[in-house]
Amino acid sequence: MSVSEGSPSDIADAGLAEAGRARIGWAQRSMPVLRLITGTFASERPLSGLTVAACLHVTAETACLVQALRAGGASVFLAASNPLSTQDEVAAALAADGVAVFARAGVDRLTYDEHIHNALDSGPDLVVDDGGDLVNTLHAQRPELLAAVRGGCESTVTGVIRLRRMAEEGALAFPAVAADATTTKRMFDSTCGTGQSVIDGVLRATNILLAGRVVVVAGFGDCGRGIAEAARGLGAQVIVTEVNPVRALDAVLRGFRVLPMAQAAPVGELFITATGSRDVIAAGHLPALRDGAILANAGHFDVEIDVRALTDTAVKLTREVRPHTDEYLLPDGRRLLLLAEGRVVNLVAAEGNPPQVMDVTFASQALVLSWLARAEALPAGVHAVPPAIDEQIARLTLESSGTRIDALTPAQQEYLSSWRQTP
Ligand code: ADE
């Protein structure tokens, strides 16, 4: 644990701060909405005197959110939400600016957990989570801190699923806002952002050509759809696997071939999981995979590809045949390539979603936290992002790109508000 400007931190190298500042500055240029909110927060101080414990991917974009929260008056304690996604330069820059940061790229499970405890040691009033590990730790291991927590905000589908299970069992002790499902987040972050950044991660790790390649995308939620469309846009032949009939039908109607994984396994050349579930590529699929098949995961946790089965089956593991690409040699001579150790490929092998995308996601979370700070008598449980915040974010995003839209005329308003008017 190091100390920088009075804040306890655990970072890889304080000497990286300047490089981190440059990276954050580049992200800031493409985050106009968050910049605007930071300005408003600086004058209105909606988070004055509050402590925020955050468990997020420690990236340049996250640093911009942290700066917004601090401008609003909050003290921020930041832990990494994935052991491999931390940008060490960014962690150093934040620590140098007095943020308590607990994040080093490549830490083991024990240190990862310790870092979450370090952030919780702040005794937070508000929490921000990405995947649910902080909220889980808070409830399971630090219940004495729960009474002080006014509310929380969760940004991933995976984390929100966990929150809903907790709420159903009556275990969730405070109001938690599901920031995964706003219309703006689904459009921007899940589909466009993840679609692009996952392909970016695969290409940086492998440098393969996608045109003409058979790509199997497991899961056709917003993220899976984005990935499938991005791969098709680059000329890949995309097969989709699903367990949900509505989503499978959606994939069919959008022109994708839909197959069960057992049938996709022998034909796929690149597999990308985006389901939020586990064992999507399991031991039973390994015998069918082609020599040279590439396996990547886009889901939050590293459980979608059964890495243990792969390790147990392989006779030889060659780490890093390229950065973020490990080769598993099977007894029959086939080689399987696993990207980013089966962890979230866009954040490990690339830089996650671009700043323009995270602008929308984080602007919404900043406003949610400011709303939670003011909200009175909000019951414990999972709450939706207030629609007014979603609309405000959409309006600000349009304005920041110079896009103008029409307004209803009084006659149109009257027509739409009355059932008595006939055309
Ligand atoms: N999640 C996806 N992309 C991200 C990014 N660039 N920063 C933080 N969290 C992310």
Side-chain angles (χ1 to χ4, degrees), residues 152-178:
C153 179
E154 166 60 55
S155 45
T156 65
V157 179
T158 302
V160 170
I161 290 172
R162 291 168 107 186
L163 284 176
R164 291 197 196 285
R165 294 297 90 79
M166 290 176 81
E168 276 162 20
E169 290 177 22
L172 185 59
F174 50 74
V177 175

Side-chain angles (χ1 to χ4, degrees), residues 220 247-258:
F220 204 71
R247 289 182 176 170
L249 182 59
D250 187 24
V252 169
L253 295 180
R254 289 172 192 269
F256 293 102
R257 189 169 171 214
V258 175

Side-chain angles (χ1 to χ4, degrees), residues 3 25 149-150 152 155 184 217 226 283 298 310 317 334 337 350 361 367 379:
V3 174
V149 179
R150 298 190 191 188
S155 45
T184 47
V217 178
L310 198 54
L317 162 60
R334 281 175 303 135
L337 297 157
T361 303
L367 292 184

Side-chain angles (χ1 to χ4, degrees), residues 312-329:
D312 290 348
T313 312
V315 290
K316 187 171 167 217
L317 162 60
T318 311
R319 288 253 178 237
E320 303 247 316
V321 286
R322 280 177 57 86
H324 303 302
T325 303
D326 293 340
E327 184 180 84
Y328 290 77
L329 178 67

Side-chain angles (χ1 to χ4, degrees), residues 2-7 9 11 13-18 21 70 89-101:
S2 66
V3 174
S4 55
E5 290 186 22
S7 294
S9 285
I11 56 171
D13 181 357
L16 297 173
E18 218 32 63
R21 285 199 181 106
R70 295 181 90 210
E89 314 89 290
V90 169
L94 284 170
D97 286 347
V99 180
V101 187

Side-chain angles (χ1 to χ4, degrees), residues 38-365:
T38 306
T40 313
F41 274 17
S43 54
E44 296 178 0
R45 306 281 286 175
L47 303 172
S48 186
L50 298 181
T51 298
V52 177
C55 181
L56 297 167
H57 297 288
V58 178
T59 64
E61 294 74 30
T62 297
C64 295
L65 171 65
V66 170
Q67 288 171 348
L69 302 181
R70 295 181 90 210
S75 301
V76 182
F77 289 67
L78 175 65
S81 64
N82 184 294
L84 291 186
S85 64
T86 296
Q87 296 170 358
D88 284 323
E89 314 89 290
V90 169
L94 284 170
D97 286 347
V99 180
V101 187
F102 308 96
R104 283 185 276 125
V107 293
D108 58 18
R109 178 77 217 191
L110 205 70
T111 312
Y112 172 78
D113 289 339
E114 245 172 48
H115 283 165
I116 291 177
H117 280 284
N118 292 147
L120 287 174
D121 287 341
S122 61
D125 302 290
L126 294 166
V127 297
V128 193
D129 213 353
D130 183 318
D133 282 345
L134 183 126
V135 168
N136 240 310
T137 308
L138 181 56
H139 283 76
Q141 298 174 45
R142 307 291 297 271
E144 75 283 2
L145 300 174
L146 284 170
V149 179
R150 298 190 191 188
C153 179
E154 166 60 55
S155 45
T156 65
V157 179
T158 302
V160 170
I161 290 172
R162 291 168 107 186
L163 284 176
R164 291 197 196 285
R165 294 297 90 79
M166 290 176 81
E168 276 162 20
E169 290 177 22
L172 185 59
F174 50 74
V177 175
D180 65 314
T182 62
T183 314
T184 47
K185 166 128 194 308
R186 291 181 58 191
M187 282 184 318
F188 239 93
D189 184 317
S190 309
T191 305
C192 302
T194 308
Q196 175 174 306
S197 63
V198 164
I199 298 300
D200 184 19
V202 169
L203 297 184
R204 288 197 207 192
T206 60
N207 198 24
I208 57 170
L209 177 70
L210 278 189
R213 199 171 290 260
V214 180
V215 176
V216 178
V217 178
F220 204 71
D222 295 320
C223 293
R225 178 158 54 81
I227 297 164
E229 281 170 355
R232 179 162 67 182
L234 287 168
Q237 301 174 47
V238 180
I239 295 171
V240 168
T241 71
E242 245 306 340
V243 293
N244 177 313
V246 175
R247 289 182 176 170
L249 182 59
D250 187 24
V252 169
L253 295 180
R254 289 172 192 269
F256 293 102
R257 189 169 171 214
V258 175
L259 290 176
M261 184 57 87
Q263 285 176 33
V267 285
E269 295 171 285
L270 163 65
F271 294 78
I272 304 173
T273 54
T275 67
S277 186
R278 59 175 304 156
D279 303 333
V280 179
I281 298 179
H285 299 121
L286 299 183
L289 295 174
R290 294 162 65 142
D291 179 32
I294 299 167
L295 312 178
N297 166 48
H300 184 82
F301 289 117
D302 57 344
V303 295
E304 305 208 14
I305 300 168
D306 188 345
V307 179
R308 175 164 299 173
L310 198 54
T311 310
D312 290 348
T313 312
V315 290
K316 187 171 167 217
L317 162 60
T318 311
R319 288 253 178 237
E320 303 247 316
V321 286
R322 280 177 57 86
H324 303 302
T325 303
D326 293 340
E327 184 180 84
Y328 290 77
L329 178 67
L330 302 190
D332 58 11
R334 281 175 303 135
R335 287 154 308 164
L336 300 179
L337 297 157
L338 178 68
L339 307 191
E341 300 178 22
R343 294 186 185 275
V344 58
V345 70
N346 60 340
L347 280 142
V348 175
E351 295 170 69
N353 292 340
Q356 197 187 347
V357 169
M358 297 315 290
D359 191 31
V360 171
T361 303
F362 284 153
S364 156
Q365 290 189 22

